[in-house]
Amino acid sequence: MGAICGILGKCDTSVVDAMARALSHRGPLIHRTQGQNYALASSMPVASTCALDGQLRAGNAWLAAQDLHDRCQRVQAAAELGVRGAFAAVVGFRDGGHWWLLRDRLGRKSLYYYTGKDFLLFASELRALLASGLVNRRLNLTSIDLYLTFRCVPAPETLLLGVHRVRPGHVLHYDSMRTWQEPFARFAYEEGWKRDRDELTPMIRERLRTALARHRNGLLLWSSGLDCAALAALSEDAFQPVFVVLERSWQDEARLAKESAKRLRLPLRIVQARRFTEETFWQAARCLDEPIADASVFPLWLVFEGASHFGASAVTGHGADELLGGYPRYHLLQKAHGAEGLVPVNQLMGLLPALPPNAFVRRAGRYLATIRDPARAFLGLLSVFDQEEREELYTDAMRSAVYEQNESLGLVREHFLGPDLTRNLLSLDLAVTIPSLLLFACDHISAAHGMTVSCPYLDDDMVDLALMLAPRARFGVRSKPLLRLAMRGILPPRVRLRARRGFRIPQSGRVVRVIDSVTKEVITPERVDATGLFKWPYVEQTVESASHNVCRRRQFWALLMFFAWYREMMES
């Protein structure tokens, strides 16, 4: 919850009013300040030239907008601020002659902006910029290419041409109609930090307890797994665990969730989620400013909807998998990379054209053929559409528009700077996946239900610790070995050693029939041809083969979410 918006370079309160109305689901933006060349609105108290969204702290002291304003006036550069938390802020200098737009380093709060001829608009959501009436709706073709690679659009780009986001951990300067971004809060990777797991486990417990102390009371979104059980066991405050029972197509862990709560002697509240319908699909799709190529958006919507009946703030276990080795595939990639000398690359390149027309087989072949280039190998294996598939998907006009730009490869290379592939992937996750996929979905979906969500595993101190972990400490035979070891003697073994379980992608039954109905409405030859982006035969083939091919299934969800967004945002 919470939002900010405004206009810099001139004062136009009617524009700010229109943007504030578009953000009203995040709370009323009743706090206003304006001058000769600016007008700001916020759901939190403002200072003379400062608006703040979220929670900001220096050390253990929480800062209000006035505190941030005064702090900014005393420093020469944003890097000297020394602030942490989940926030987005706008701060003015010289009576509004120069501005900083700041965003926390994990990107927990979004901040969009649009630069006009003599002004700059900013807002917490894209829909608010569009509500101003000053932003043209034109597609950014390069961003579409990025979306079809990473399942989301990484900052600073958006799917609309001319609209951008402040990058996580960056400050956007606006001065005399010029804009530029620079980092002010970086992640510190400590190379060669060697500690035994036994030494690390008390540090994990201590930092989780500290993070939980910053989020007193509220709900704990419960599951059957280790992540939320650890939070419940380490918390000194009384969080109310709530478990939302979903249809079995999405999840089937009600029995295990009840068992975990019973073993921990927690008073678990259980609520049945409503059935997934076409209305649910559109409600979830509309709340996102930009599409996310991930089916988990819909069960997440239903979970927050069910939990919202019990309270307005919640704590979740999001981030544990990303930081503490919940995805063993990253460790397997590291080991595969170590065996690159055994792969006959030249022979594989010659065999690729002869491989059967199966997306999975071809993808694996292309990965092995590029294994000596880690960035290309990563994209060949884990991108939604790899480069060759995108070239087959695109029309001639789209292909020529993004020809030779290869923004995806350039973005990956920014983070693949050393021999440790697991460290490279964590760097990419912190820059792209966590802010633009995981936290973006949590923030927008929770706000749509009038809730504020906190993720203790993504607390700044916890992230700092995760950055220092060597691969041997982060990964093991089981997922999240360090967290499991830290909870030995605190959690019952049946809970502590339970395998990771996530949302399913429906494969059959009533939910699939609903999705098929939406697909027929959204992905039509007329709409595909009207965009001028993709070839209908390739799109049709992807949709028809989604049910029996894991690669095609991911591609289907990318196309479905894109065209749902296109219908709501571009055709409205």
Side-chain angles (χ1 to χ4, degrees):
M1 291 284 283
I4 56 176
C5 65
I7 184 169
L8 311 177
K10 62 181 180 181
C11 181
D12 190 333
T13 56
S14 62
V15 167
V16 176
D17 289 341
M19 291 194 292
R21 285 193 294 272
L23 293 168
S24 59
H25 60 285
R26 288 180 171 267
L29 278 70
I30 57 175
H31 302 282
R32 305 291 182 99
T33 181
Q34 64 186 67
Q36 184 177 358
N37 60 348
Y38 66 90
L40 315 179
S42 174
S43 55
M44 299 174 62
V46 298
S48 56
T49 57
C50 179
L52 171 65
D53 172 27
Q55 293 183 316
L56 180 70
R57 63 182 174 88
N60 292 321
W62 295 105
L63 305 181
Q66 187 64 55
D67 300 320
L68 176 61
H69 177 271
D70 296 343
R71 200 177 185 91
C72 288
Q73 309 304 315
R74 296 194 298 265
V75 300
Q76 297 296 317
E80 301 172 23
L81 286 173
V83 293
R84 293 191 161 196
F87 67 91
V90 176
V91 183
F93 303 83
R94 302 195 303 269
D95 295 324
H98 182 88
W99 293 87
W100 285 358
L101 279 71
L102 302 137
R103 190 177 176 204
D104 72 83
R105 63 177 183 165
L106 267 177
R108 286 163 284 203
K109 294 289 184 177
S110 295
L111 189 55
Y112 291 85
Y113 68 93
Y114 171 80
T115 307
K117 183 178 180 181
D118 56 355
F119 65 90
L120 181 143
L121 295 176
F122 68 88
S124 298
E125 292 189 4
L126 176 61
R127 70 183 71 250
L129 294 184
L130 297 177
S132 71
L134 300 176
V135 179
N136 295 321
R137 304 188 188 208
R138 294 183 295 166
L139 289 173
N140 183 340
L141 303 186
T142 301
S143 294
I144 295 173
D145 192 61
L146 290 171
Y147 165 74
L148 294 176
T149 303
F150 296 108
R151 299 186 294 158
C152 58
V153 181
E157 300 300 329
T158 72
L159 285 183
L160 293 185
L161 197 63
V163 179
H164 298 87
R165 277 181 293 170
V166 178
R167 295 179 65 179
H170 282 63
V171 54
L172 173 77
H173 295 267
Y174 177 66
D175 188 359
S176 301
M177 294 176 285
R178 295 184 302 117
T179 61
W180 67 97
Q181 291 196 40
E182 63 183 15
F184 78 93
R186 298 178 183 271
F187 293 108
Y189 295 89
E190 189 167 333
E191 299 293 341
W193 199 68
K194 300 182 185 298
R195 295 284 184 95
D196 292 332
R197 285 181 177 172
D198 289 337
E199 296 180 83
L200 293 168
T201 51
M203 301 175 69
I204 292 284
R205 291 193 294 266
E206 176 191 353
R207 298 205 183 193
L208 277 178
R209 286 192 178 107
T210 302
L212 285 163
R214 297 191 181 111
H215 310 287
R216 296 184 180 275
N217 301 318
L219 306 177
L220 173 59
L221 298 187
W222 192 252
S223 70
S224 66
L226 167 67
D227 305 340
C228 61
L231 297 180
L234 294 174
S235 174
E236 297 178 358
D237 294 297
F239 286 99
Q240 171 62 62
V242 174
F243 180 73
V244 181
V245 182
L246 302 172
E247 294 176 81
R248 289 191 174 185
S249 296
W250 297 113
Q251 188 182 69
D252 183 19
E253 58 174 273
R255 181 185 62 81
L256 293 175
K258 293 175 186 177
E259 178 191 322
S260 295
K262 183 177 180 180
R263 289 179 179 274
L264 293 174
R265 298 179 180 179
L266 296 174
L268 181 64
R269 284 191 171 186
I270 300 175
V271 58
Q272 179 69 49
R274 66 187 174 102
R275 286 157 63 91
F276 180 77
T277 63
E278 291 187 32
E279 179 188 8
T280 313
F281 176 92
W282 288 113
Q283 286 175 333
R286 287 188 189 109
C287 86
L288 302 174
D289 280 323
E290 297 186 272
I292 293 177
D294 195 336
S296 67
V297 165
F298 302 106
L300 191 64
W301 171 274
L302 294 169
V303 166
F304 276 109
E305 183 181 63
S308 65
H309 299 299
F310 298 100
S313 63
V315 168
T316 79
H318 285 99
D321 289 323
E322 286 76 10
L323 293 186
L324 298 175
Y327 300 123
R329 64 178 180 268
Y330 290 168
H331 196 38
L332 293 176
L333 285 176
Q334 172 83 351
K335 291 184 177 297
H337 180 59
E340 62 182 23
L342 304 177
V343 178
V345 173
N346 293 332
Q347 289 89 331
L348 276 173
M349 291 295 290
L351 286 173
L352 277 177
L355 290 176
N358 177 282
F360 180 80
V361 173
R362 285 185 170 275
R363 185 71 69 95
R366 283 196 283 266
Y367 166 73
L368 291 173
T370 57
I371 197 170
R372 294 179 184 174
D373 184 341
R376 289 187 182 275
F378 168 82
L379 288 174
L381 190 64
L382 296 180
S383 58
V384 182
F385 290 86
D386 68 18
Q387 185 172 359
E388 291 187 25
E389 290 166 338
R390 296 199 303 277
E391 289 179 359
E392 293 178 31
L393 170 67
Y394 293 159
T395 60
D396 292 341
M398 176 66 177
R399 201 159 48 237
S400 63
V402 298
Y403 181 68
E404 288 188 347
Q405 292 187 26
N406 215 342
E407 296 281 345
S408 302
L409 182 60
L411 178 58
V412 173
R413 288 203 191 283
E414 286 181 25
H415 302 279
F416 279 50
L417 300 177
D420 185 349
L421 187 58
T422 57
R423 179 63 58 83
N424 297 339
L425 290 167
L426 178 59
S427 176
L428 185 64
D429 274 346
L430 289 169
V432 178
T433 310
I434 291 176
S436 298
L437 191 72
L438 176 67
L439 292 172
F440 178 89
C442 285
D443 175 60
H444 281 68
I445 293 174
S446 61
H449 291 103
M451 296 186 69
T452 300
V453 63
S454 302
C455 307
Y457 288 103
L458 294 176
D459 182 81
D460 285 293
D461 294 338
M462 190 69 191
V463 172
D464 287 341
L465 176 60
L467 293 176
M468 296 186 290
L469 299 178
R472 62 180 175 81
R474 182 181 289 111
F475 296 98
V477 176
R478 291 180 181 269
S479 64
K480 292 167 285 196
L482 194 58
L483 183 60
R484 296 183 192 277
L485 185 61
M487 300 312 295
R488 179 185 290 173
I490 299 176
L491 290 178
R494 282 180 64 89
V495 178
R496 183 174 65 87
L497 300 176
R498 186 166 289 155
R500 179 186 176 275
R501 297 162 68 93
F503 293 127
R504 301 169 178 167
I505 297 180
Q507 299 298 308
S508 60
R510 192 195 64 80
V511 173
V512 170
R513 290 193 292 274
V514 173
I515 295 169
D516 287 343
S517 177
V518 173
T519 302
K520 291 175 183 176
E521 178 187 353
V522 172
I523 305 181
T524 63
E526 294 77 17
R527 180 169 284 119
V528 173
D529 291 342
T531 65
L533 303 173
F534 312 130
K535 299 174 183 174
W536 169 248
Y538 194 95
V539 172
E540 184 179 35
Q541 178 189 0
T542 300
V543 172
E544 290 176 350
S545 58
S547 62
H548 55 270
N549 186 296
V550 64
C551 292
R552 292 290 189 224
R553 194 175 304 133
R554 298 172 68 224
Q555 295 170 355
F556 160 74
W557 279 102
L559 294 174
L560 178 62
M561 296 302 289
F562 172 79
F563 282 109
W565 174 87
Y566 184 90
R567 195 190 86 158
E568 293 299 304
M569 197 69 76
M570 303 299 292
E571 296 179 358
S572 299

